[in-house]
Amino acid sequence: MSLIENFTKPYGLVDKIDAFGYLDSLKNNPDAPRKHGKVVLVTADTPLKASRGEGKTTTTIALIDALNARGIDAAAVLRQPSMGITAAGSKGGASGGGKASLTHPELIDWGLCGEMGAIEAAQNLLASFAEKAVDDGLLDTVIVPRVSEVPSRSLRSVVVDAGKNDVHEKTVLTPTCELMQIVVLSRSMDEIAERVAKMIAGTKDGKAVTFGEFIDLWRITNILADAVKPAKTETKNGSPVYVHGGPFANVSIGIPSLVSVEMACALHDVVIVEAGYGADAGAQKWLDIACREYGAQWPSAAVVVTRASTWRDDPALQWRYPFHVERLEGLGIPTFPLINLWDGEDDQVPALRQTAADLGFRAPIVGNLYRDGGDALVPQLDAFTEAVSAEDAPETPASHKGMPLVENVKWVCEHAYGVPSDRVVMKPGFEESLEAARALAEDAGVAFDDLALVAVKSPATMTDNDAAPADERTVTLKKVDVHSGAGLVHVNLTTSLTTPMPKIV
Amino acid sequence: MSLIENFTKPYGLVDKIDAFGYLDSLKNNPDAPRKHGKVVLVTADTPLKASRGEGKTTTTIALIDALNARGIDAAAVLRQPSMGITAAGSKGGASGGGKASLTHPELIDWGLCGEMGAIEAAQNLLASFAEKAVDDGLLDTVIVPRVSEVPSRSLRSVVVDAGKNDVHEKTVLTPTCELMQIVVLSRSMDEIAERVAKMIAGTKDGKAVTFGEFIDLWRITNILADAVKPAKTETKNGSPVYVHGGPFANVSIGIPSLVSVEMACALHDVVIVEAGYGADAGAQKWLDIACREYGAQWPSAAVVVTRASTWRDDPALQWRYPFHVERLEGLGIPTFPLINLWDGEDDQVPALRQTAADLGFRAPIVGNLYRDGGDALVPQLDAFTEAVSAEDAPETPASHKGMPLVENVKWVCEHAYGVPSDRVVMKPGFEESLEAARALAEDAGVAFDDLALVAVKSPATMTDNDAAPADERTVTLKKVDVHSGAGLVHVNLTTSLTTPMPKIV
């Protein structure tokens, strides 16, 4: 029995893997057989609207099927989609489609093994304990939000204990909550407990109070016992797919759990990590948060997915796709454009290839992946596999720890959105919000400028107006929120929803 | 491979069983090998307070271990405890203790396989759809409550869309919601969908509107796909234990799912069904709701658990234990008193046996089940096994369908609580509440007097004051709620909490 089998248990139609235990045992047995797989990032053009995917998951599935067909041991790591908005009909699932599908997409789209429900219960328990701490005089105010997996626009603004104390509370979507971020970023249950202990519950006499000061951490970790285990499923063609962690790179970190990627790298030669929405959200967060600050592997290559129509139908926004491709190439990451065709678009291929050539792109990978799946890609991956198997792995750039927050935000605006620092403007109230956040962090005993930056923004824009001429684009900084347990600081900019609670459709 | 194995899948440390599929296949294959197990009810004395258990689960586990030790194929069916109040510290778990324990109590106490989380998401999705229906002009008011697995006293009264429409909403604990009742009472996914379609979402122009009029039912059933499957675990001694369905017989039906019991009866000779809190809550509901109205099996015997201290420490309440034992005997159910001793109580055994004899009880079963488990029971079960194996199975009494609600309530007060109809009083406003409920039911197309009655009460009292002299005890009827999808009508009486949302401790 191989080492991983000791840590794998069937859960209905999928397996669940104790990734913490497996990675520990690799650490303790340096001679145990393992692989050192390379991470490839699949990201996308900025979508025209949030509900319109470019086909990242479909591409990821087709790509591993094609790589395995070429004899390369490739696996994918996906985030668990938010069941709430799928069930509500706000969007379709996020498990590929057509020939590029999972064996049991319904599991991924409809709650998997209860991970999201467990995280919801645990975060809501934290909110209940904070509320009790108010009764007990340990807190004056509650800061930790309640969560809901199911969207409901009315939950954006909630008054609890109505008619008595009328306490105003915040509710956010479960996949975006700090506890989900902690599950995604932690490498052991002890680390999860330490991070929960550092979460800010609320304030007493104006000073932040953390949960470590008054709750039993085991109550939270008991609830999370199975939620921290990645699920393993496969594509219709039998390629392995790991699913773990919350979506929403627009308002949270939007990456799969670090341990699910590290586990996959120990088991396979190529590991495709999906990071979306667009490169400005998902890729930016994988590179600048997961890699720079949390020790994740810098990608050996990237694939940037677009639809022909996203790329070309809106001239004012056409600059975004080449911008993403060039940014990633500029970071030393071999970056392959991938155009995901829809029915009736086959005749556009020559024109699309010409446009890519005019832009100085690498030869684009083109296919109707819903219709043809991995078969469309097999003959097109020579340059890609060569890049991935290159010996000299790129180095991870230096951490931004210690960089003042505003400088860090301006760095992201310039590098990820193309807006120079003199056009990054602060909305009235931003500086007060910044100082309040800094004070909370310091009360909580965390170094504010060491927190990793999470840009909270619309998935469909990088600037205040992406359609404006390049030299007129601005980014407005609106407010700052500290997630001291996760080690993150959120900065809301452009047209972000501070509480991502879509109206159900 | 046996038939049941075709419907069983491992889920981590437990199995999940497609009970719908298994029972269907038995129906379609009348010659397939199966058993016809007898149901034994384990219930209890009325606890002195809700958070103080008498030891029903401990007894249930010890009992099946003892029966199996005697060569009888016995299994237990337990309800899934509410993780919320366990995690919050309001009570301990509900998975036995000491030598009478499950192999993995932590699973049962801490979320099992996500069943509760899925039901929470599905019920909250219904609330979101009702809210959207208000936006769309299909509803004027929302009646369906939101749910939370985690208790929080402030959720008793919530205003959503605060500052805009200020909509007052109700939140109940997930295990008590109508969708949980539907999962517990339904025998197929189609029946679940039909029942959800009959749930009242809210009102339009004062008339009830059901979900069947405006939602896609598949969105709900997709979420419930795994939640409808009972979990199978075992005692430390290897006796089989099935766990499925929500607790809280005080404010809901508090019984395990009907299919989990029927499945167990097809697989084992004796099936112990736990029904609590006290006999006035759990047993009353198993007998008068599950058996009379939903076709569950009338028990072949009953065990009524008490602690020596519960029985004897409060003279004013001593009448309750014999009342429960005599009521069950009076229904033709051989009823065995079981006294669950605590440390230091062994010397009380002779006195307890004498008291039981003076009361004309069957010889009581006595043991320290935490300390000794089933070993304490093995030598005491001759009369019990004889009663269970008796050929002439008792007949289920007639349904109360068509009985006017108030008459039905008075019948329960007289038979289950010992209060004659002339001392059942109506609180001002009760009759208006009754007429409003009747109107809603009729709008929803269900016959009001055919709904099964759910007495919503305190777990610790049967009357307005159990300590009053017998001829002065009263029951006050307070309000009526219709659960038209589940086919139930709730009547709040005595000191019930209309929203069971304990303050966390």
Side-chain angles (χ1 to χ4, degrees), chain B residues 47-263:
Chain B
L48 294 178
K49 52 181 196 295
S51 59
R52 168 184 164 137
E54 301 304 295
K56 283 184 302 297
T57 312
T58 304
T59 297
T60 298
I61 291 168
L63 200 50
I64 57 171
D65 281 347
L67 290 169
N68 282 292
R70 289 173 61 113
I72 295 167
D73 176 7
V77 182
L78 304 178
R79 299 159 299 160
Q80 179 182 354
S82 170
M83 179 182 73
I85 60 177
T86 305
S90 302
K91 64 183 282 296
S95 50
K99 272 186 104 176
S101 292
L102 301 176
T103 45
H104 297 289
E106 73 281 8
L107 293 177
I108 313 308
D109 290 341
W110 295 93
L112 202 52
C113 306
E115 294 82 356
M116 208 73 85
I119 289 169
E120 175 164 322
Q123 171 95 17
N124 282 334
L125 182 60
L126 290 172
S128 292
F129 277 126
E131 177 177 72
K132 176 173 185 295
V134 171
D135 300 338
D136 297 345
L138 301 171
L139 291 180
D140 304 323
T141 69
V142 171
I143 288 177
V144 64
R146 293 183 194 276
V147 289
S148 172
E149 160 105 59
V150 173
S152 173
R153 59 111 177 81
S154 71
L155 290 179
R156 283 186 190 169
S157 172
V158 176
V159 170
V160 299
D161 210 10
K164 292 183 188 158
N165 300 315
D166 292 317
V167 181
H168 221 288
E169 279 190 1
K170 195 175 156 194
T171 306
V172 302
L173 287 177
T174 305
T176 72
C177 71
E178 184 169 7
L179 199 56
M180 171 60 86
Q181 295 174 327
I182 287 173
V183 167
V184 163
L185 295 171
S186 295
R187 289 181 172 89
S188 70
M189 198 56 104
D190 289 346
E191 182 178 351
I192 288 176
E194 287 157 20
R195 291 187 173 280
V196 170
K198 280 201 220 137
M199 285 175 70
I200 295 170
T203 62
K204 174 69 175 176
D205 304 325
K207 293 213 162 305
V209 177
T210 60
F211 281 105
E213 298 175 47
F214 64 90
I215 71 161
D216 304 321
L217 296 168
W218 61 265
R219 297 188 185 279
I220 302 301
T221 51
N222 275 11
I223 295 175
L224 297 176
D226 279 344
V228 301
K229 298 173 185 165
K232 184 187 181 190
T233 181
E234 57 184 33
T235 68
K236 283 183 179 169
N237 296 305
S239 306
V241 174
Y242 304 89
V243 184
H244 197 225
F248 294 134
N250 53 328
V251 291
S252 183
I253 49 180
I255 57 176
S257 69
L258 299 184
V259 290
S260 62
V261 176
E262 288 162 5
M263 174 181 69

Side-chain angles (χ1 to χ4, degrees), chain A residues 224-236:
Chain A
L224 297 177
D226 278 344
V228 300
K229 298 173 184 162
K232 183 186 180 189
T233 181
E234 57 184 36
T235 69
K236 283 184 179 168

Side-chain angles (χ1 to χ4, degrees), chain A residues 227-294:
Chain A
V228 300
K229 298 173 184 162
K232 183 186 180 189
T233 181
E234 57 184 36
T235 69
K236 283 184 179 168
N237 296 307
S239 306
V241 174
Y242 304 89
V243 185
H244 196 226
F248 294 134
N250 54 328
V251 291
S252 183
I253 49 179
I255 58 176
S257 70
L258 300 184
V259 291
S260 61
V261 176
E262 287 162 6
M263 174 181 67
C265 288
L267 296 167
H268 307 281
D269 295 314
V270 176
V271 174
I272 311 289
V273 175
E274 184 195 341
Y277 299 87
D280 48 291
Q284 187 268 325
K285 277 150 181 166
W286 178 263
L287 298 173
D288 297 330
I289 299 175
C291 297
R292 273 182 200 277
E293 311 302 344
Y294 286 85

Side-chain angles (χ1 to χ4, degrees), chain B residues 43-46 54 279 303-307 310-312 317-328 335-340 352 355-356 359 361-362 364-365 462:
Chain B
T43 186
D45 196 359
T46 306
E54 301 304 295
V303 172
V304 186
V305 182
T306 189
R307 289 195 210 169
T310 305
W311 186 6
R312 308 205 305 193
L317 299 177
Q318 270 176 18
W319 65 272
R320 301 195 300 193
Y321 187 58
F323 176 86
H324 297 320
V325 173
E326 283 154 19
R327 187 214 170 190
L328 295 172
T335 301
F336 295 83
L338 187 145
I339 301 151
N340 181 29
L352 289 162
T355 312
L359 288 163
F361 287 175
R362 293 170 193 260
I365 301 165
M462 292 182 271

